[in-house]
Amino acid sequence: MDYKNLQAEIKDDVAIVTLNREKALNALDAELISELHDFFTTHWMKRDFRCVIITGAGKAFAAGADIDELSKLDVAGAVRTAAIGQYLMKTIENFPCPVIAAINGFALGGGCELAMACDIRLASEKAKLGQPEINLGIIPGYGGTQRLARLVGRGKAKQLIFTGDMIDAAEAHRIGLVDEVYPPEELINKAMEMAKKIIAKSKPSVIAAKELINRGLDVNLSSGVEFEKRAFGTIFGGKDAVEGLKAFMEKRPANFKHK
Ligand code: CAA
């Protein structure tokens, strides 16, 4: 795992991925996007951990796409840049284990879009979030217009995207953009605590729940519950369902084998 702008460490079945381009507030340039792609595709195959935490070094989670690079794009280049960024966000969103964003500081533009592609967002009290692209005469390009509206509703999404305003962690929590807020020094430990709590559950159930919630948000309710019915049946074919239900009846903790 030798990356220039990314640190990745696997500890107790949890991968901690740190964006480490501090001099540019972890702005997502082509190289950093490519390193993130490499990390997530390599480990999609390896499956050598069961939860991922993404965070940033220094005072930013990520301050957006790299504006210096954006300033050199023509129309075709902009479409390609959006396509590559969106593909990364989709890869993270569909990654076959939970991905937690530990938002330590600025999460703006592409940085906020990266956080929104994660399953759960935990923020430091110092975090600042927003989609300030409008101030640059552009719009979000890594899924922000779509995921923000799904997370906070169309009115708040429009307000944030039209004004380009930055909001603090408390406001982001209030509108549902982040799920929990912690003092800065507790953020990573809290993220780790949550990761450990999740990986103690049955892995196939966690993955099925993730897939169902994601797929369900793209289809109507009847199709979503239809997917759920089938997945519910599939889960009953696994050893963990037998063990979990039996353990409850026997009044003892379940010993999941993640099968
Ligand atoms: N791209 C490239 N470099 C960036 C950057 C970005 N998104 N954000 C910050 N930097 C660089 C700055 O240019 C500066 O570099 P130098 O020291 O070489 O001058 C360094 O990071 C530190 O930044 P500041 O001096 O500006 O730090 P600050 O604390 O005064 O301000 C900030 C912090 C409010 C986050 C400010 O840096 C800022 O507004 N950054 C831009 C945020 C933004 O507009 N993001 C959206 C990008 S477009 C996008 O993301 C499109 C998309 O959806 C795909």
Side-chain angles (χ1 to χ4, degrees), residues 21-25 27-28 59 63-68 70 81 106 108-111 113 131-133 136 138-143 166:
R21 196 180 166 232
E22 238 186 291
K23 64 175 176 6
L25 303 186
L28 302 165
K59 67 176 182 179
D66 189 282
I67 298 172
D68 183 41
L70 294 185
T81 297
F106 293 112
L108 301 173
E113 291 166 308
Q131 296 289 159
E133 289 88 344
L136 304 167
I138 62 169
I139 58 169
Y142 294 168
M166 251 195 274

PDB file of all heavy atoms in Angstrom, residues 21-25 27-28 59 63-68 70 81 106 108-111 113 131-133 136 138-143 166, ligand 1:
ATOM      1  N   ARG A  21      -2.997  14.927   1.655  1.00  0.00           N
ATOM      2  CA  ARG A  21      -2.430  15.943   0.750  1.00  0.00           C
ATOM      3  C   ARG A  21      -2.655  17.281   1.432  1.00  0.00           C
ATOM      4  O   ARG A  21      -3.360  18.167   0.946  1.00  0.00           O
ATOM      5  CB  ARG A  21      -3.173  15.851  -0.590  1.00  0.00           C
ATOM      6  CG  ARG A  21      -2.481  16.525  -1.707  1.00  0.00           C
ATOM      7  CD  ARG A  21      -3.211  16.449  -3.029  1.00  0.00           C
ATOM      8  NE  ARG A  21      -2.634  17.395  -3.925  1.00  0.00           N
ATOM      9  CZ  ARG A  21      -3.331  18.315  -4.599  1.00  0.00           C
ATOM     10  NH1 ARG A  21      -4.643  18.368  -4.512  1.00  0.00           N
ATOM     11  NH2 ARG A  21      -2.698  19.171  -5.384  1.00  0.00           N
ATOM     12  N   GLU A  22      -2.037  17.360   2.599  1.00  0.00           N
ATOM     13  CA  GLU A  22      -2.347  18.443   3.538  1.00  0.00           C
ATOM     14  C   GLU A  22      -2.105  19.835   2.979  1.00  0.00           C
ATOM     15  O   GLU A  22      -2.850  20.765   3.276  1.00  0.00           O
ATOM     16  CB  GLU A  22      -1.490  18.236   4.794  1.00  0.00           C
ATOM     17  CG  GLU A  22      -2.337  18.111   6.041  1.00  0.00           C
ATOM     18  CD  GLU A  22      -1.504  18.040   7.308  1.00  0.00           C
ATOM     19  OE1 GLU A  22      -0.831  17.016   7.498  1.00  0.00           O
ATOM     20  OE2 GLU A  22      -1.541  19.003   8.095  1.00  0.00           O
ATOM     21  N   LYS A  23      -1.067  19.971   2.146  1.00  0.00           N
ATOM     22  CA  LYS A  23      -0.727  21.318   1.655  1.00  0.00           C
ATOM     23  C   LYS A  23      -1.854  21.910   0.810  1.00  0.00           C
ATOM     24  O   LYS A  23      -1.972  23.129   0.694  1.00  0.00           O
ATOM     25  CB  LYS A  23       0.597  21.301   0.878  1.00  0.00           C
ATOM     26  CG  LYS A  23       0.588  20.468  -0.390  1.00  0.00           C
ATOM     27  CD  LYS A  23       1.904  20.636  -1.138  1.00  0.00           C
ATOM     28  CE  LYS A  23       2.110  19.820  -2.378  1.00  0.00           C
ATOM     29  NZ  LYS A  23       1.133  18.999  -2.982  1.00  0.00           N
ATOM     30  N   ALA A  24      -2.693  21.060   0.229  1.00  0.00           N
ATOM     31  CA  ALA A  24      -3.834  21.557  -0.567  1.00  0.00           C
ATOM     32  C   ALA A  24      -5.153  21.166   0.108  1.00  0.00           C
ATOM     33  O   ALA A  24      -6.171  20.985  -0.559  1.00  0.00           O
ATOM     34  CB  ALA A  24      -3.764  21.017  -1.977  1.00  0.00           C
ATOM     35  N   LEU A  25      -5.116  21.050   1.430  1.00  0.00           N
ATOM     36  CA  LEU A  25      -6.318  20.679   2.216  1.00  0.00           C
ATOM     37  C   LEU A  25      -6.979  19.411   1.665  1.00  0.00           C
ATOM     38  O   LEU A  25      -8.216  19.312   1.597  1.00  0.00           O
ATOM     39  CB  LEU A  25      -7.307  21.841   2.286  1.00  0.00           C
ATOM     40  CG  LEU A  25      -6.772  23.162   2.867  1.00  0.00           C
ATOM     41  CD1 LEU A  25      -7.888  24.185   3.004  1.00  0.00           C
ATOM     42  CD2 LEU A  25      -6.115  22.948   4.225  1.00  0.00           C
ATOM     43  N   ALA A  27      -7.329  18.344  -1.222  1.00  0.00           N
ATOM     44  CA  ALA A  27      -8.136  18.497  -2.452  1.00  0.00           C
ATOM     45  C   ALA A  27      -7.922  17.264  -3.322  1.00  0.00           C
ATOM     46  O   ALA A  27      -6.815  16.725  -3.424  1.00  0.00           O
ATOM     47  CB  ALA A  27      -7.718  19.765  -3.192  1.00  0.00           C
ATOM     48  N   LEU A  28      -9.017  16.825  -3.934  1.00  0.00           N
ATOM     49  CA  LEU A  28      -9.006  15.565  -4.688  1.00  0.00           C
ATOM     50  C   LEU A  28      -8.492  15.839  -6.103  1.00  0.00           C
ATOM     51  O   LEU A  28      -9.281  16.108  -7.011  1.00  0.00           O
ATOM     52  CB  LEU A  28     -10.421  14.976  -4.718  1.00  0.00           C
ATOM     53  CG  LEU A  28     -11.048  14.696  -3.344  1.00  0.00           C
ATOM     54  CD1 LEU A  28     -12.547  14.471  -3.470  1.00  0.00           C
ATOM     55  CD2 LEU A  28     -10.381  13.489  -2.693  1.00  0.00           C
ATOM     56  N   LYS A  59      -6.285  19.897   8.792  1.00  0.00           N
ATOM     57  CA  LYS A  59      -7.533  20.593   9.140  1.00  0.00           C
ATOM     58  C   LYS A  59      -8.668  20.343   8.154  1.00  0.00           C
ATOM     59  O   LYS A  59      -9.728  20.963   8.267  1.00  0.00           O
ATOM     60  CB  LYS A  59      -7.275  22.092   9.304  1.00  0.00           C
ATOM     61  CG  LYS A  59      -6.896  22.837   8.047  1.00  0.00           C
ATOM     62  CD  LYS A  59      -6.772  24.339   8.358  1.00  0.00           C
ATOM     63  CE  LYS A  59      -6.441  25.122   7.088  1.00  0.00           C
ATOM     64  NZ  LYS A  59      -6.332  26.539   7.301  1.00  0.00           N
ATOM     65  N   ALA A  63     -11.059  19.447   0.759  1.00  0.00           N
ATOM     66  CA  ALA A  63     -11.627  20.770   0.405  1.00  0.00           C
ATOM     67  C   ALA A  63     -12.171  20.799  -1.015  1.00  0.00           C
ATOM     68  O   ALA A  63     -12.319  21.868  -1.600  1.00  0.00           O
ATOM     69  CB  ALA A  63     -10.575  21.852   0.607  1.00  0.00           C
ATOM     70  N   GLY A  64     -12.430  19.608  -1.585  1.00  0.00           N
ATOM     71  CA  GLY A  64     -13.082  19.575  -2.895  1.00  0.00           C
ATOM     72  C   GLY A  64     -12.202  19.006  -3.976  1.00  0.00           C
ATOM     73  O   GLY A  64     -11.082  18.547  -3.710  1.00  0.00           O
ATOM     74  N   ALA A  65     -12.723  19.071  -5.200  1.00  0.00           N
ATOM     75  CA  ALA A  65     -11.896  18.710  -6.348  1.00  0.00           C
ATOM     76  C   ALA A  65     -10.769  19.737  -6.418  1.00  0.00           C
ATOM     77  O   ALA A  65     -10.892  20.843  -5.859  1.00  0.00           O
ATOM     78  CB  ALA A  65     -12.748  18.764  -7.609  1.00  0.00           C
ATOM     79  N   ASP A  66      -9.676  19.392  -7.085  1.00  0.00           N
ATOM     80  CA  ASP A  66      -8.543  20.311  -7.159  1.00  0.00           C
ATOM     81  C   ASP A  66      -8.863  21.447  -8.138  1.00  0.00           C
ATOM     82  O   ASP A  66      -9.023  21.213  -9.342  1.00  0.00           O
ATOM     83  CB  ASP A  66      -7.284  19.561  -7.597  1.00  0.00           C
ATOM     84  CG  ASP A  66      -6.069  20.443  -7.480  1.00  0.00           C
ATOM     85  OD1 ASP A  66      -5.871  21.303  -8.378  1.00  0.00           O
ATOM     86  OD2 ASP A  66      -5.331  20.310  -6.500  1.00  0.00           O
ATOM     87  N   ILE A  67      -8.941  22.660  -7.595  1.00  0.00           N
ATOM     88  CA  ILE A  67      -9.403  23.797  -8.406  1.00  0.00           C
ATOM     89  C   ILE A  67      -8.370  24.161  -9.477  1.00  0.00           C
ATOM     90  O   ILE A  67      -8.728  24.571 -10.583  1.00  0.00           O
ATOM     91  CB  ILE A  67      -9.748  24.994  -7.500  1.00  0.00           C
ATOM     92  CG1 ILE A  67     -10.909  24.600  -6.559  1.00  0.00           C
ATOM     93  CG2 ILE A  67     -10.134  26.217  -8.324  1.00  0.00           C
ATOM     94  CD1 ILE A  67     -11.247  25.615  -5.483  1.00  0.00           C
ATOM     95  N   ASP A  68      -7.096  23.954  -9.173  1.00  0.00           N
ATOM     96  CA  ASP A  68      -6.068  24.241 -10.177  1.00  0.00           C
ATOM     97  C   ASP A  68      -6.293  23.336 -11.406  1.00  0.00           C
ATOM     98  O   ASP A  68      -6.265  23.806 -12.552  1.00  0.00           O
ATOM     99  CB  ASP A  68      -4.684  23.987  -9.539  1.00  0.00           C
ATOM    100  CG  ASP A  68      -3.560  24.327 -10.504  1.00  0.00           C
ATOM    101  OD1 ASP A  68      -3.697  25.356 -11.202  1.00  0.00           O
ATOM    102  OD2 ASP A  68      -2.590  23.560 -10.590  1.00  0.00           O
ATOM    103  N   LEU A  70      -9.171  21.880 -12.219  1.00  0.00           N
ATOM    104  CA  LEU A  70     -10.461  22.227 -12.848  1.00  0.00           C
ATOM    105  C   LEU A  70     -10.295  23.424 -13.782  1.00  0.00           C
ATOM    106  O   LEU A  70     -10.923  23.498 -14.836  1.00  0.00           O
ATOM    107  CB  LEU A  70     -11.517  22.566 -11.782  1.00  0.00           C
ATOM    108  CG  LEU A  70     -11.994  21.451 -10.844  1.00  0.00           C
ATOM    109  CD1 LEU A  70     -13.117  21.966  -9.946  1.00  0.00           C
ATOM    110  CD2 LEU A  70     -12.481  20.227 -11.621  1.00  0.00           C
ATOM    111  N   THR A  81     -13.758  14.228 -16.119  1.00  0.00           N
ATOM    112  CA  THR A  81     -13.432  14.394 -14.691  1.00  0.00           C
ATOM    113  C   THR A  81     -14.636  14.013 -13.821  1.00  0.00           C
ATOM    114  O   THR A  81     -14.489  13.307 -12.815  1.00  0.00           O
ATOM    115  CB  THR A  81     -13.012  15.859 -14.429  1.00  0.00           C
ATOM    116  OG1 THR A  81     -11.827  16.092 -15.183  1.00  0.00           O
ATOM    117  CG2 THR A  81     -12.747  16.139 -12.968  1.00  0.00           C
ATOM    118  N   PHE A 106     -12.737  20.571   7.012  1.00  0.00           N
ATOM    119  CA  PHE A 106     -13.473  20.992   5.818  1.00  0.00           C
ATOM    120  C   PHE A 106     -13.870  19.794   4.951  1.00  0.00           C
ATOM    121  O   PHE A 106     -13.009  18.976   4.585  1.00  0.00           O
ATOM    122  CB  PHE A 106     -12.613  21.919   4.950  1.00  0.00           C
ATOM    123  CG  PHE A 106     -12.304  23.253   5.580  1.00  0.00           C
ATOM    124  CD1 PHE A 106     -11.012  23.573   5.974  1.00  0.00           C
ATOM    125  CD2 PHE A 106     -13.319  24.191   5.760  1.00  0.00           C
ATOM    126  CE1 PHE A 106     -10.726  24.801   6.550  1.00  0.00           C
ATOM    127  CE2 PHE A 106     -13.034  25.429   6.333  1.00  0.00           C
ATOM    128  CZ  PHE A 106     -11.740  25.735   6.729  1.00  0.00           C
ATOM    129  N   LEU A 108     -15.781  19.987   1.633  1.00  0.00           N
ATOM    130  CA  LEU A 108     -16.414  20.941   0.704  1.00  0.00           C
ATOM    131  C   LEU A 108     -16.399  20.377  -0.705  1.00  0.00           C
ATOM    132  O   LEU A 108     -15.460  19.649  -1.089  1.00  0.00           O
ATOM    133  CB  LEU A 108     -15.627  22.258   0.725  1.00  0.00           C
ATOM    134  CG  LEU A 108     -15.518  22.947   2.097  1.00  0.00           C
ATOM    135  CD1 LEU A 108     -14.586  24.141   2.024  1.00  0.00           C
ATOM    136  CD2 LEU A 108     -16.894  23.357   2.606  1.00  0.00           C
ATOM    137  N   GLY A 109     -17.411  20.726  -1.489  1.00  0.00           N
ATOM    138  CA  GLY A 109     -17.445  20.288  -2.877  1.00  0.00           C
ATOM    139  C   GLY A 109     -17.251  18.781  -2.976  1.00  0.00           C
ATOM    140  O   GLY A 109     -17.974  17.997  -2.340  1.00  0.00           O
ATOM    141  N   GLY A 110     -16.235  18.372  -3.742  1.00  0.00           N
ATOM    142  CA  GLY A 110     -15.941  16.934  -3.892  1.00  0.00           C
ATOM    143  C   GLY A 110     -15.693  16.236  -2.559  1.00  0.00           C
ATOM    144  O   GLY A 110     -15.932  15.035  -2.431  1.00  0.00           O
ATOM    145  N   GLY A 111     -15.244  16.989  -1.559  1.00  0.00           N
ATOM    146  CA  GLY A 111     -15.011  16.404  -0.224  1.00  0.00           C
ATOM    147  C   GLY A 111     -16.330  16.063   0.453  1.00  0.00           C
ATOM    148  O   GLY A 111     -16.471  15.012   1.104  1.00  0.00           O
ATOM    149  N   GLU A 113     -19.015  15.503  -1.252  1.00  0.00           N
ATOM    150  CA  GLU A 113     -19.558  14.424  -2.096  1.00  0.00           C
ATOM    151  C   GLU A 113     -18.949  13.075  -1.711  1.00  0.00           C
ATOM    152  O   GLU A 113     -19.634  12.051  -1.705  1.00  0.00           O
ATOM    153  CB  GLU A 113     -19.307  14.762  -3.576  1.00  0.00           C
ATOM    154  CG  GLU A 113     -20.158  15.955  -4.018  1.00  0.00           C
ATOM    155  CD  GLU A 113     -19.729  16.559  -5.344  1.00  0.00           C
ATOM    156  OE1 GLU A 113     -18.533  16.875  -5.504  1.00  0.00           O
ATOM    157  OE2 GLU A 113     -20.583  16.718  -6.232  1.00  0.00           O
ATOM    158  N   GLN A 131     -21.303  22.786  -0.382  1.00  0.00           N
ATOM    159  CA  GLN A 131     -21.083  22.588  -1.818  1.00  0.00           C
ATOM    160  C   GLN A 131     -20.865  23.985  -2.399  1.00  0.00           C
ATOM    161  O   GLN A 131     -21.791  24.594  -2.944  1.00  0.00           O
ATOM    162  CB  GLN A 131     -22.314  21.906  -2.451  1.00  0.00           C
ATOM    163  CG  GLN A 131     -22.611  20.510  -1.952  1.00  0.00           C
ATOM    164  CD  GLN A 131     -21.642  19.427  -2.397  1.00  0.00           C
ATOM    165  OE1 GLN A 131     -21.554  18.390  -1.780  1.00  0.00           O
ATOM    166  NE2 GLN A 131     -20.888  19.656  -3.447  1.00  0.00           N
ATOM    167  N   PRO A 132     -19.623  24.512  -2.289  1.00  0.00           N
ATOM    168  CA  PRO A 132     -19.392  25.908  -2.688  1.00  0.00           C
ATOM    169  C   PRO A 132     -19.095  26.114  -4.175  1.00  0.00           C
ATOM    170  O   PRO A 132     -18.650  27.200  -4.571  1.00  0.00           O
ATOM    171  CB  PRO A 132     -18.162  26.279  -1.836  1.00  0.00           C
ATOM    172  CG  PRO A 132     -17.436  25.000  -1.661  1.00  0.00           C
ATOM    173  CD  PRO A 132     -18.443  23.890  -1.700  1.00  0.00           C
ATOM    174  N   GLU A 133     -19.359  25.092  -5.003  1.00  0.00           N
ATOM    175  CA  GLU A 133     -18.995  25.185  -6.424  1.00  0.00           C
ATOM    176  C   GLU A 133     -19.573  26.424  -7.099  1.00  0.00           C
ATOM    177  O   GLU A 133     -18.962  27.001  -7.993  1.00  0.00           O
ATOM    178  CB  GLU A 133     -19.461  23.926  -7.173  1.00  0.00           C
ATOM    179  CG  GLU A 133     -18.692  22.657  -6.854  1.00  0.00           C
ATOM    180  CD  GLU A 133     -19.258  21.885  -5.663  1.00  0.00           C
ATOM    181  OE1 GLU A 133     -20.056  22.442  -4.882  1.00  0.00           O
ATOM    182  OE2 GLU A 133     -18.880  20.707  -5.525  1.00  0.00           O
ATOM    183  N   LEU A 136     -17.558  29.319  -7.690  1.00  0.00           N
ATOM    184  CA  LEU A 136     -16.534  29.208  -8.734  1.00  0.00           C
ATOM    185  C   LEU A 136     -17.175  29.295 -10.127  1.00  0.00           C
ATOM    186  O   LEU A 136     -16.508  29.077 -11.138  1.00  0.00           O
ATOM    187  CB  LEU A 136     -15.785  27.869  -8.608  1.00  0.00           C
ATOM    188  CG  LEU A 136     -15.130  27.569  -7.258  1.00  0.00           C
ATOM    189  CD1 LEU A 136     -14.704  26.100  -7.174  1.00  0.00           C
ATOM    190  CD2 LEU A 136     -13.918  28.480  -7.052  1.00  0.00           C
ATOM    191  N   ILE A 138     -19.378  27.175 -11.187  1.00  0.00           N
ATOM    192  CA  ILE A 138     -19.653  25.810 -11.670  1.00  0.00           C
ATOM    193  C   ILE A 138     -20.703  25.151 -10.763  1.00  0.00           C
ATOM    194  O   ILE A 138     -21.312  25.825  -9.923  1.00  0.00           O
ATOM    195  CB  ILE A 138     -18.346  24.960 -11.775  1.00  0.00           C
ATOM    196  CG1 ILE A 138     -17.687  24.803 -10.394  1.00  0.00           C
ATOM    197  CG2 ILE A 138     -17.367  25.607 -12.756  1.00  0.00           C
ATOM    198  CD1 ILE A 138     -16.559  23.768 -10.367  1.00  0.00           C
ATOM    199  N   ILE A 139     -20.901  23.868 -10.935  1.00  0.00           N
ATOM    200  CA  ILE A 139     -21.849  23.115 -10.089  1.00  0.00           C
ATOM    201  C   ILE A 139     -21.151  21.863  -9.559  1.00  0.00           C
ATOM    202  O   ILE A 139     -20.085  21.483 -10.071  1.00  0.00           O
ATOM    203  CB  ILE A 139     -23.129  22.706 -10.885  1.00  0.00           C
ATOM    204  CG1 ILE A 139     -22.766  21.862 -12.123  1.00  0.00           C
ATOM    205  CG2 ILE A 139     -23.950  23.929 -11.274  1.00  0.00           C
ATOM    206  CD1 ILE A 139     -23.961  21.192 -12.805  1.00  0.00           C
ATOM    207  N   PRO A 140     -21.723  21.196  -8.561  1.00  0.00           N
ATOM    208  CA  PRO A 140     -21.117  19.933  -8.093  1.00  0.00           C
ATOM    209  C   PRO A 140     -21.061  18.909  -9.231  1.00  0.00           C
ATOM    210  O   PRO A 140     -21.960  18.878 -10.077  1.00  0.00           O
ATOM    211  CB  PRO A 140     -22.080  19.452  -6.993  1.00  0.00           C
ATOM    212  CG  PRO A 140     -22.816  20.685  -6.551  1.00  0.00           C
ATOM    213  CD  PRO A 140     -22.934  21.544  -7.777  1.00  0.00           C
ATOM    214  N   GLY A 141     -20.011  18.089  -9.229  1.00  0.00           N
ATOM    215  CA  GLY A 141     -19.856  17.140 -10.340  1.00  0.00           C
ATOM    216  C   GLY A 141     -19.621  15.702  -9.912  1.00  0.00           C
ATOM    217  O   GLY A 141     -19.541  14.805 -10.745  1.00  0.00           O
ATOM    218  N   TYR A 142     -19.469  15.481  -8.591  1.00  0.00           N
ATOM    219  CA  TYR A 142     -19.228  14.109  -8.126  1.00  0.00           C
ATOM    220  C   TYR A 142     -20.475  13.560  -7.418  1.00  0.00           C
ATOM    221  O   TYR A 142     -20.377  12.823  -6.439  1.00  0.00           O
ATOM    222  CB  TYR A 142     -18.025  14.042  -7.176  1.00  0.00           C
ATOM    223  CG  TYR A 142     -16.683  14.358  -7.810  1.00  0.00           C
ATOM    224  CD1 TYR A 142     -15.552  14.575  -7.029  1.00  0.00           C
ATOM    225  CD2 TYR A 142     -16.533  14.417  -9.191  1.00  0.00           C
ATOM    226  CE1 TYR A 142     -14.319  14.853  -7.601  1.00  0.00           C
ATOM    227  CE2 TYR A 142     -15.303  14.707  -9.771  1.00  0.00           C
ATOM    228  CZ  TYR A 142     -14.202  14.925  -8.968  1.00  0.00           C
ATOM    229  OH  TYR A 142     -12.982  15.201  -9.537  1.00  0.00           O
ATOM    230  N   GLY A 143     -21.658  13.969  -7.912  1.00  0.00           N
ATOM    231  CA  GLY A 143     -22.902  13.408  -7.375  1.00  0.00           C
ATOM    232  C   GLY A 143     -23.604  14.296  -6.355  1.00  0.00           C
ATOM    233  O   GLY A 143     -24.635  13.907  -5.810  1.00  0.00           O
ATOM    234  N   MET A 166     -21.189  27.531   3.636  1.00  0.00           N
ATOM    235  CA  MET A 166     -20.580  26.461   4.445  1.00  0.00           C
ATOM    236  C   MET A 166     -21.380  26.363   5.735  1.00  0.00           C
ATOM    237  O   MET A 166     -21.742  27.399   6.300  1.00  0.00           O
ATOM    238  CB  MET A 166     -19.165  26.894   4.840  1.00  0.00           C
ATOM    239  CG  MET A 166     -18.082  26.142   4.154  1.00  0.00           C
ATOM    240  SD  MET A 166     -16.536  26.432   5.000  1.00  0.00           S
ATOM    241  CE  MET A 166     -15.927  27.897   4.277  1.00  0.00           C
TER     242      MET A 166
HETATM  243  N1  CAA B   1      -8.231  22.750  -4.761  1.00  0.00           N
HETATM  244  C1  CAA B   1      -6.919  23.079  -4.807  1.00  0.00           C
HETATM  245  N2  CAA B   1      -6.280  23.675  -3.790  1.00  0.00           N
HETATM  246  C2  CAA B   1      -6.991  23.993  -2.688  1.00  0.00           C
HETATM  247  C3  CAA B   1      -8.348  23.681  -2.569  1.00  0.00           C
HETATM  248  C4  CAA B   1      -8.982  23.024  -3.674  1.00  0.00           C
HETATM  249  N3  CAA B   1     -10.269  22.638  -3.643  1.00  0.00           N
HETATM  250  N4  CAA B   1      -8.780  24.107  -1.370  1.00  0.00           N
HETATM  251  C5  CAA B   1      -7.723  24.647  -0.756  1.00  0.00           C
HETATM  252  N5  CAA B   1      -6.644  24.572  -1.541  1.00  0.00           N
HETATM  253  C6  CAA B   1      -5.290  25.055  -1.252  1.00  0.00           C
HETATM  254  C7  CAA B   1      -5.205  26.574  -1.289  1.00  0.00           C
HETATM  255  O1  CAA B   1      -5.054  27.044  -2.617  1.00  0.00           O
HETATM  256  C8  CAA B   1      -3.991  26.834  -0.432  1.00  0.00           C
HETATM  257  O2  CAA B   1      -2.840  26.573  -1.202  1.00  0.00           O
HETATM  258  P1  CAA B   1      -1.551  27.575  -1.084  1.00  0.00           P
HETATM  259  O3  CAA B   1      -1.121  27.465   0.350  1.00  0.00           O
HETATM  260  O4  CAA B   1      -0.581  26.996  -2.067  1.00  0.00           O
HETATM  261  O5  CAA B   1      -2.047  28.929  -1.426  1.00  0.00           O
HETATM  262  C9  CAA B   1      -4.066  25.711   0.608  1.00  0.00           C
HETATM  263  O6  CAA B   1      -4.954  24.718   0.078  1.00  0.00           O
HETATM  264  C10 CAA B   1      -4.659  26.200   1.917  1.00  0.00           C
HETATM  265  O7  CAA B   1      -5.906  26.804   1.626  1.00  0.00           O
HETATM  266  P2  CAA B   1      -6.306  28.280   2.176  1.00  0.00           P
HETATM  267  O8  CAA B   1      -5.104  29.125   2.341  1.00  0.00           O
HETATM  268  O9  CAA B   1      -7.400  28.797   1.296  1.00  0.00           O
HETATM  269  O10 CAA B   1      -6.890  27.868   3.616  1.00  0.00           O
HETATM  270  P3  CAA B   1      -7.981  28.647   4.469  1.00  0.00           P
HETATM  271  O11 CAA B   1      -7.991  27.989   5.796  1.00  0.00           O
HETATM  272  O12 CAA B   1      -7.763  30.124   4.407  1.00  0.00           O
HETATM  273  O13 CAA B   1      -9.382  28.369   3.721  1.00  0.00           O
HETATM  274  C11 CAA B   1     -11.028  26.950   2.662  1.00  0.00           C
HETATM  275  C12 CAA B   1      -9.890  27.072   3.702  1.00  0.00           C
HETATM  276  C13 CAA B   1     -12.213  27.800   3.101  1.00  0.00           C
HETATM  277  C14 CAA B   1     -11.417  25.499   2.606  1.00  0.00           C
HETATM  278  C15 CAA B   1     -10.519  27.469   1.286  1.00  0.00           C
HETATM  279  O14 CAA B   1      -9.273  26.847   1.000  1.00  0.00           O
HETATM  280  C16 CAA B   1     -11.453  27.176   0.154  1.00  0.00           C
HETATM  281  O15 CAA B   1     -12.452  27.860  -0.007  1.00  0.00           O
HETATM  282  N6  CAA B   1     -11.123  26.153  -0.657  1.00  0.00           N
HETATM  283  C17 CAA B   1     -11.912  25.811  -1.840  1.00  0.00           C
HETATM  284  C18 CAA B   1     -13.162  25.073  -1.482  1.00  0.00           C
HETATM  285  C19 CAA B   1     -13.983  24.798  -2.718  1.00  0.00           C
HETATM  286  O16 CAA B   1     -14.402  25.713  -3.424  1.00  0.00           O
HETATM  287  N7  CAA B   1     -14.240  23.530  -2.996  1.00  0.00           N
HETATM  288  C20 CAA B   1     -14.990  23.095  -4.166  1.00  0.00           C
HETATM  289  C21 CAA B   1     -14.048  22.721  -5.282  1.00  0.00           C
HETATM  290  S1  CAA B   1     -14.867  22.426  -6.813  1.00  0.00           S
HETATM  291  C22 CAA B   1     -15.481  20.838  -6.683  1.00  0.00           C
HETATM  292  O17 CAA B   1     -15.295  20.153  -5.687  1.00  0.00           O
HETATM  293  C23 CAA B   1     -16.254  20.364  -7.871  1.00  0.00           C
HETATM  294  C24 CAA B   1     -16.873  19.039  -7.723  1.00  0.00           C
HETATM  295  O18 CAA B   1     -17.943  18.866  -7.182  1.00  0.00           O
HETATM  296  C25 CAA B   1     -16.247  17.885  -8.328  1.00  0.00           C
END
